[in-house]
Amino acid sequence: MKGSMLKHPRSERPAPEVLATADVTIPRHELPAGEMTPDDAYQIVHDELMLDGNARLNAATFVTTWMEPQADRLMAECFDKNMIDKDEYPQTAEIEARCVNILSRLWHAPDARQATGCSTTGSSEAAMLGGLALKRRWQRQGRTGRPNLVMGINVQVCWEKFANYWDVEMRLVPMDGDRYHLSAEEAVALCDENTIGVVAILGSTFDGSYEPVAEICAALDAFQERTGIDVPVHVDAASGGFVAPFLDRDLVWDFQLPRVSSINVSGHKYGLVYPGVGWIVWRDAQALPEDLIFWVNYLGDDMPTFALNFSRPGAQVVAQYYNFLRLGFAGYARVQGYARDVATRLAGMIADLGPFELLTRGDELPVFAFKLRDEVTGYSVFDVSEALRERGWQVPAYTFPKNREDLAALRIVVRRGFTHDLADLLLEDLRRHVQRLEKQAVPARDATTATGFHH
């Protein structure tokens, strides 16, 4: 039989259509004229999202990128619950209150049985609520000047937004030499009778370091003795609030310090929940001015609310409570301790490669920053960052702020799910790219041409 007469048994079957709408242009900036099937709509969106980076290889973000399947299932069961409807979803409201009590105890509030706080969409909203309480407290003292808030220049952008939205002067302490965050001496130097508070960061996004909260409070104690001016402290513990209590138990930074009036934390960072939840806790009810609490008659009941947002999903709050139950103190200590072990080990191995110099070692937050040694002139940290993207790694490169704009660094954030094995793979890729980059005569990228990362 001639070869041309031989046919594969499946050759005459028509190729199946992947999508019923495969030959139609999908509008991207206006509604399509008609409907499509749920499967087609899913596939179109799913395929487009494949162009995103792999979240597990994202060493830039502090945000949780993995949770257990049981937590995923709980969240799916709660997507339709509105956190604001406390009368309709009383048990979700109860779970939120339990979480506030847990955090109050974790942070040594004087009377955690009367815990004052709430969940938010993230620590940015929580920080703004803390700032609002500071401003209102200052106003109640009858001050007439323009209020100011003292902080290091390394603060997260939410504080710039707060100052802009609520007309508060930002008094920023610049970096100086090897000091990359706020110091007690510099903080007090900027305080006066119109200072509504000092913001201390427990875990800077630039390098993962803790600011000296206890030293800042002690300096403000002495300042009050000299001047009679009482300046409270808000601790922005967006990341460190879920790290220090478990790994640095001798560190005094929270409500054990009488001057600390409020603390914010991000549940979706080292709280280990997917994006969408933060927490604000005040020292006691007196630290939250009553005129910031609104009583709303909504869907059948009078309820207090003091968040900036209104409707939002209850799923992340439920997932936070799941983590508290699932892990307990020992589990959080284990997870965060493993992350710190990975961070410090990886930092040490990167330092041993030769061209890099560590700025931090990952022994506070499991986060560390490193720069190229001064003698390396043929490539930049931006070249290194771009090279690592070739294998899917997202390692941010950025310049430091005022007074240290000359310093450009790389930063690696180690989160749950970033294992020693992944760290070894990253190190091998970094070593391989360095060998190639060392053949360059001059850098190909700088801060103006590199892909941008945001803190």
Side-chain angles (χ1 to χ4, degrees):
M1 187 177 292
K2 295 182 180 180
S4 61
M5 296 177 64
L6 292 173
K7 294 182 179 180
H8 192 279
R10 298 180 62 183
S11 63
E12 294 179 336
R13 298 178 185 177
E17 287 185 289
V18 176
L19 293 174
T21 54
D23 57 344
V24 177
T25 300
I26 306 301
R28 289 188 173 88
H29 305 293
E30 62 182 356
L31 284 172
E35 298 182 51
M36 64 179 66
T37 68
D39 286 341
D40 285 352
Y42 166 82
Q43 195 65 47
I44 289 168
V45 178
H46 172 83
D47 289 350
E48 188 164 340
L49 289 174
M50 291 192 298
L51 296 172
D52 275 347
N54 185 328
R56 290 288 301 281
L57 299 181
N58 186 353
T61 184
F62 285 78
V63 174
T64 296
T65 55
W66 182 88
M67 291 189 74
E68 292 171 324
Q70 293 86 346
D72 291 347
R73 190 159 66 245
L74 268 177
M75 292 186 74
E77 293 169 1
C78 297
F79 283 150
D80 59 349
K81 293 186 179 182
N82 189 350
M83 196 67 237
I84 201 66
D85 296 344
K86 301 188 188 313
D87 190 52
E88 283 66 31
Y89 307 117
Q91 210 54 38
T92 303
E94 167 64 19
I95 284 174
E96 178 189 28
R98 290 179 193 172
C99 289
V100 172
N101 274 268
I102 288 169
L103 290 171
S104 295
R105 285 173 165 82
L106 186 67
W107 298 335
H108 303 98
D111 187 0
R113 294 170 301 176
Q114 300 295 322
T116 302
C118 66
S119 65
T120 62
T121 55
S123 58
S124 291
E125 180 190 357
M128 291 188 191
L129 287 169
L132 275 173
L134 292 177
K135 182 178 179 183
R136 195 58 54 89
R137 167 182 163 167
W138 172 85
Q139 288 173 324
R140 288 187 307 184
Q141 295 172 350
R143 303 299 171 86
T144 57
R146 187 186 181 196
N148 66 75
L149 188 62
V150 174
M151 62 196 85
I153 201 168
N154 55 307
V155 291
Q156 213 265 354
V157 69
C158 69
W159 289 106
E160 184 176 351
K161 291 182 178 180
F162 166 77
N164 190 320
Y165 296 163
W166 282 283
D167 193 26
V168 173
E169 177 192 355
M170 291 182 74
R171 292 192 173 176
L172 296 174
V173 174
M175 295 181 178
D176 183 33
D178 294 335
R179 178 179 58 75
Y180 305 128
H181 58 221
L182 186 64
S183 70
E185 179 183 3
E186 298 290 343
V188 170
L190 293 183
C191 291
D192 58 28
E193 67 277 5
N194 292 321
T195 301
I196 65 174
V198 171
V199 176
I201 305 176
L202 197 72
S204 172
T205 58
F206 278 90
D207 61 4
S209 62
Y210 295 160
E211 291 187 336
V213 184
E215 292 178 18
I216 291 170
C217 288
L220 289 171
D221 289 343
F223 177 74
Q224 183 176 2
E225 289 179 6
R226 294 195 310 270
T227 65
I229 299 172
D230 181 13
V231 179
V233 169
H234 173 89
V235 180
D236 183 347
S239 295
F242 275 120
V243 175
F246 305 107
L247 302 185
D248 307 296
R249 298 182 67 178
D250 294 332
L251 181 69
V252 179
W253 64 274
D254 56 16
F255 294 124
Q256 294 177 85
L257 299 166
R259 195 164 290 278
V260 173
S261 65
S262 51
I263 300 171
N264 70 274
V265 75
S266 182
H268 57 227
K269 293 180 181 174
Y270 288 99
L272 310 179
V273 178
Y274 287 135
V277 64
W279 301 91
I280 173 70
V281 177
W282 283 272
R283 177 177 200 83
D284 48 37
Q286 287 69 42
L288 175 62
E290 289 184 6
D291 52 0
L292 289 180
I293 302 174
F294 293 86
W295 289 88
V296 181
N297 188 303
Y298 186 62
L299 297 183
D301 194 20
D302 250 5
M303 60 186 181
T305 174
F306 40 91
L308 297 178
N309 288 294
F310 201 66
S311 294
R312 55 189 174 86
Q316 285 86 350
V317 170
V318 171
Q320 185 75 80
Y321 187 59
Y322 166 85
N323 277 342
F324 287 164
L325 290 181
R326 164 73 178 86
L327 293 172
F329 192 97
Y332 265 97
R334 174 184 58 79
V335 171
Q336 316 299 37
Y338 181 86
R340 184 179 280 181
D341 287 345
V342 173
T344 54
R345 174 175 171 266
L346 180 58
M349 292 190 296
I350 288 175
D352 290 341
L353 286 179
F356 300 109
E357 178 182 330
L358 296 179
L359 302 179
T360 49
R361 307 191 63 85
D363 54 356
E364 293 181 318
L365 288 189
V367 175
F368 63 95
F370 55 105
K371 64 183 280 291
L372 285 168
R373 296 188 179 278
D374 293 341
E375 58 267 27
V376 177
T377 58
Y379 57 98
S380 67
V381 292
F382 305 100
D383 291 332
V384 175
S385 177
E386 194 67 23
L388 287 170
R389 277 181 174 268
E390 296 173 12
R391 285 270 286 175
W393 300 106
Q394 298 169 60
V395 177
Y398 51 90
T399 55
F400 276 45
K402 186 177 179 180
N403 284 17
R404 286 312 317 265
E405 295 98 331
D406 60 304
L407 177 58
L410 295 146
R411 186 197 66 207
I412 290 177
V413 178
V414 177
R415 304 177 309 282
R416 191 180 194 185
F418 195 111
T419 62
H420 282 295
D421 184 60
L422 279 176
D424 290 341
L425 293 173
L426 173 57
L427 184 73
E428 284 305 309
D429 284 339
L430 182 58
R431 179 182 288 113
R432 184 165 52 251
H433 287 306
V434 164
Q435 290 173 351
R436 174 168 61 85
L437 289 170
E438 284 177 344
K439 299 176 183 177
Q440 289 185 184
V442 294
R445 293 173 181 81
D446 58 21
T448 62
T449 58
T451 303
F453 284 92
H454 301 282
H455 291 279

